[in-house]
Amino acid sequence: MSETEPVGNLGDAAKPGTGEVTATVIVNAPAPRVFAAFMNWERQGDWIPFTKVRVVEGDGGEGSLIEAITALGPAALRDEMRVVRVDAPYELKVVHCGKVLRGPGSMRCTAMGGDRTQVVMHEWFHLPGGAAGKLAWPVLWPGSKLSFKGALKKFGRLVEEGKLP
């Protein structure tokens, strides 16, 4: 999938949105182990705060539908993702296709010397709220980036400690 071509029947959700977030971490573990830990969908709640993840359709691989619900008190955000590409242990591509969160995302593992792996997560969200959402993005972006990076760092620690996958 190129970053601009629609995937299946996902329409505009497969095209990059204007809300772009990237996070990178180095994990002291080999790429196949890091990738396997990431693909363990149900365990993502171990490193993404306040979130429960489950496979709704499929086996978690290409074509699967994944649901992540992030809840804080009575407020909850549902994120639906269609897995559109799995190139283990190097790359995973999803399309967020829910009502609120929409847009493509990717996770890439690059093997480094000494059984170290660079993990890069990149998301291109369509911002909800039209023009107001675009105006709010510069205010919201630093928090999004920090929480994204914090979750990825926790993921790395759990893999290094052998707690994932």
Side-chain angles (χ1 to χ4, degrees):
M1 167 182 102
S2 78
E3 304 307 345
T4 58
E5 77 183 32
V7 176
N9 60 356
L10 296 170
D12 71 332
K15 296 178 184 173
T18 55
E20 185 174 355
V21 181
T22 303
T24 303
V25 68
I26 304 295
V27 181
N28 293 311
R33 193 168 125 217
V34 172
F35 194 87
F38 193 89
M39 291 294 294
N40 190 339
W41 296 107
E42 286 79 11
R43 295 285 309 273
Q44 286 192 4
D46 293 357
W47 53 276
I48 302 172
F50 312 109
T51 302
K52 291 187 180 181
V53 181
R54 70 184 183 105
V55 176
V56 177
E57 293 174 9
D59 61 2
E62 277 187 37
S64 295
L65 182 65
I66 310 300
E67 175 188 71
I69 297 177
T70 302
L72 187 55
L77 177 63
R78 185 171 183 241
D79 182 9
E80 294 176 280
M81 295 164 275
R82 181 69 66 183
V83 179
V84 295
R85 181 166 189 227
V86 177
D87 181 14
Y90 308 107
E91 183 176 49
L92 165 73
K93 289 189 176 193
V94 300
V95 173
H96 299 270
C97 54
K99 292 180 181 176
V100 176
L101 293 178
R102 300 178 63 74
S106 68
M107 187 276 297
R108 291 185 183 98
C109 289
T110 303
M112 302 170 68
D115 276 343
R116 294 174 46 211
T117 304
Q118 179 189 48
V119 179
V120 178
M121 286 182 58
H122 202 134
E123 305 276 0
W124 296 267
F125 290 113
H126 295 255
L127 301 175
K134 288 181 183 176
L135 286 173
W137 180 246
V139 175
L140 299 174
W141 180 84
S144 298
K145 175 125 177 113
L146 284 173
S147 62
F148 210 51
K149 178 76 172 180
L152 201 54
K153 280 183 166 183
K154 185 173 183 181
F155 166 77
R157 281 194 307 274
L158 290 172
V159 172
E160 290 172 358
E161 294 168 359
K163 296 178 180 172
L164 286 175

